[in-house]
Amino acid sequence: MEFSLSEEQSLLQDSVQRYIQNSYSFEDRQRLIGSEEGFSRENWKNFAELGWLALPFPEEIGGFGGTAVETMILMEEFGKGLVVEPYLASIILAGSIIEKIESEVVRSNVLSALMSGEKLAALAFVEPQARFNLSDVQTSAEERARGFVLNGFKAVVIGGPSADYLVVPARTSGSRVDEDGITLFLVDAKAEGVVLRNYPTIDGHQASEINLEKVSVESSHVIGEIGKGFPILEAAIDKGILAVGAEAVGAMEVLYKSTVEYCKTREQFGQPIGKFQVLQHRMVDMFMEHEQSKSLLFMAAIKMSSGDEAEKKRSISALKVQVGKSGRFVGQNAIQLHGGMGMTDELNIGHYFKRLTAIETLFGNVDHHLKKYSNVA
């Protein structure tokens, strides 16, 4: 399959590359994850000024009308820089769902705040009993005179600590695992009854566990139709998988290239270890795993814009399986070929592997998507 970027897409890629190279060193990144918020508000403001926060939103609501390909380009470069700003959580996941709010006033106000960088959002969809089943929702929403009251618990809310808004799937009807009966709500993260327990994740990001106890939500903050939120949630997760798939491809590229360069200079038995044939074979295998993942990434990005829903879902699951397997292979071999240095916090190799490991479990692991792929008609 031949794939080439348009002039505008190449300009986007160049701008992100320059920003990462000039303003996002590994040392800067390490300082950020040790800060109170775990990322830089100044970087986030720069993202807004560069138009990246508005990139995936339609032009009619103030965005730039970017497609899945533009998202792929941006996130691949973010993967190379190990970017920790909550772009995935706020813009791709929560933002794509908030776009479906029927109240024009609420939608316009919230999305404008997200695209300008003034506010942040997060998608609180994971529940402990659900494993990777999106329709397994215990959090309840009872209709009242002027809206709804939410009760429940959400785990591993990526970007939760800094979020001003939470997108919360809750059950308004049906049994626990029914796809019908799930409704999406926009919740003020500071609302009464919302309690967060924040913590850092192993890959340098921030997450929360969130208790919802008698949280009042106005009817204007319902997203989509009541009881019909599952397709919107599923579409957002598919966008998230494409995004982290692109991020993983970027991380794998840095790992295999860094490993090749290291093996050219690290000497053992009087010669660079890169001259040993068995290690050359390993590095070729790392390169091949990256290339296979990148090919599936291109295919998934193109299929996301097609009208064939089954093909889109198959390509997304195929991408998730490939980056899960390849990410582990490339990461493990990068650490092994760097020796003990690969395990230290001072070297970036281990941090890329941690991010790849986290990506493998986000939105369903390899086994989950293999089964899902085989079940798609």
Side-chain angles (χ1 to χ4, degrees), residues 20 32 69 118 140 149 171 180 257 271 339 351-352 372:
I20 298 299
L32 290 180
V69 175
E118 297 174 15
S140 65
V149 174
R171 186 159 294 285
D180 286 338
K257 287 183 176 179
Q271 60 181 323
H351 296 273
Y352 281 100
K372 187 176 180 181

Side-chain angles (χ1 to χ4, degrees), residues 40-117:
S40 167
R41 290 279 180 173
E42 184 64 27
N43 283 340
W44 196 249
K45 180 181 177 182
N46 291 336
F47 290 3
E49 292 174 352
L50 289 164
W52 298 345
L53 303 188
L55 182 66
F57 297 109
E59 294 180 17
E60 56 266 25
I61 61 174
F64 288 100
T67 67
V69 175
E70 281 75 27
T71 296
M72 175 195 75
I73 292 168
L74 182 75
M75 292 302 295
E76 185 176 354
E77 299 305 322
F78 278 4
K80 294 176 184 177
L82 279 180
V83 169
V84 291
E85 277 66 29
Y87 193 89
L88 172 70
S90 187
I91 302 301
I92 293 175
L93 294 176
S96 66
I97 294 178
I98 292 170
E99 186 185 325
K100 307 298 182 183
I101 293 178
E102 293 188 2
S103 170
E104 186 175 347
V105 173
V106 175
R107 181 177 68 248
S108 177
N109 289 341
V110 175
L111 288 181
S112 294
L114 292 184
M115 290 187 284
S116 68

Side-chain angles (χ1 to χ4, degrees), residues 9-310:
Q9 290 166 347
S10 295
L11 289 172
L12 170 64
Q13 186 179 54
D14 290 342
S15 70
V16 186
Q17 284 178 350
R18 285 197 303 271
Y19 188 89
I20 298 299
Q21 290 169 2
N22 299 331
S23 306
Y24 215 97
S25 69
F26 175 67
E27 291 74 21
D28 292 334
R29 189 251 189 196
Q30 293 306 95
R31 284 194 293 271
L32 290 180
I33 64 175
S35 65
E36 183 177 353
E37 283 197 294
F39 70 97
S40 167
R41 290 279 180 173
E42 184 64 27
N43 283 340
W44 196 249
K45 180 181 177 182
N46 291 336
F47 290 3
E49 292 174 352
L50 289 164
W52 298 345
L53 303 188
L55 182 66
F57 297 109
E59 294 180 17
E60 56 266 25
I61 61 174
F64 288 100
T67 67
V69 175
E70 281 75 27
T71 296
M72 175 195 75
I73 292 168
L74 182 75
M75 292 302 295
E76 185 176 354
E77 299 305 322
F78 278 4
K80 294 176 184 177
L82 279 180
V83 169
V84 291
E85 277 66 29
Y87 193 89
L88 172 70
S90 187
I91 302 301
I92 293 175
L93 294 176
S96 66
I97 294 178
I98 292 170
E99 186 185 325
K100 307 298 182 183
I101 293 178
E102 293 188 2
S103 170
E104 186 175 347
V105 173
V106 175
R107 181 177 68 248
S108 177
N109 289 341
V110 175
L111 288 181
S112 294
L114 292 184
M115 290 187 284
S116 68
E118 297 174 15
K119 301 289 185 179
L120 295 164
L123 173 58
F125 73 99
V126 177
E127 296 193 4
Q129 83 288 342
R131 186 58 173 165
F132 300 124
N133 185 359
L134 291 178
S135 66
D136 191 339
V137 177
Q138 280 188 327
T139 299
S140 65
E142 296 182 10
E143 192 167 7
R144 300 291 171 87
R146 298 180 58 186
F148 292 81
V149 174
L150 274 59
N151 288 281
F153 175 81
K154 300 293 183 178
V156 199
V157 181
I158 304 298
S162 56
D164 300 288
Y165 302 105
L166 299 170
V167 175
V168 180
R171 186 159 294 285
T172 49
S173 63
S175 65
R176 197 187 83 183
V177 296
D178 287 347
E179 293 183 4
D180 286 338
I182 296 173
T183 305
L184 301 171
F185 297 90
L186 181 66
V187 178
D188 186 339
K190 305 296 190 295
E192 185 178 353
V194 178
V195 180
L196 281 70
R197 186 180 76 82
N198 304 326
Y199 57 92
T201 58
I202 191 172
D203 56 340
H205 290 249
Q206 300 288 319
S208 304
E209 292 182 351
I210 299 179
N211 278 297
L212 303 163
E213 186 174 351
K214 298 180 181 178
V215 178
S216 297
V217 182
E218 296 179 7
S219 297
S220 61
H221 286 62
V222 172
I223 303 172
E225 295 183 45
I226 294 174
K228 303 296 182 182
F230 180 79
I232 300 174
L233 175 62
E234 189 176 40
I237 297 302
D238 285 346
K239 292 178 181 178
I241 291 173
L242 179 73
V244 296
E247 191 181 347
V249 167
M252 281 187 269
E253 181 175 338
V254 173
L255 281 177
Y256 93 74
K257 287 183 176 179
S258 298
T259 303
V260 169
E261 289 303 312
Y262 177 76
C263 289
K264 289 179 181 178
T265 58
R266 173 72 167 92
E267 291 192 356
Q268 189 70 30
F269 305 113
Q271 60 181 323
I273 62 174
K275 288 186 176 293
F276 299 131
Q277 191 176 52
V278 66
L279 299 189
Q280 291 175 354
H281 289 168
R282 280 207 195 187
M283 288 181 279
V284 169
D285 288 341
M286 292 169 68
F287 169 76
M288 291 300 297
E289 291 290 338
H290 166 262
E291 287 298 305
Q292 289 173 4
S293 297
K294 190 160 189 173
S295 295
L296 279 174
L297 174 63
F298 287 160
M299 183 183 72
I302 293 171
K303 294 291 186 183
M304 282 288 285
S305 302
S306 72
D308 191 327
E309 195 67 22

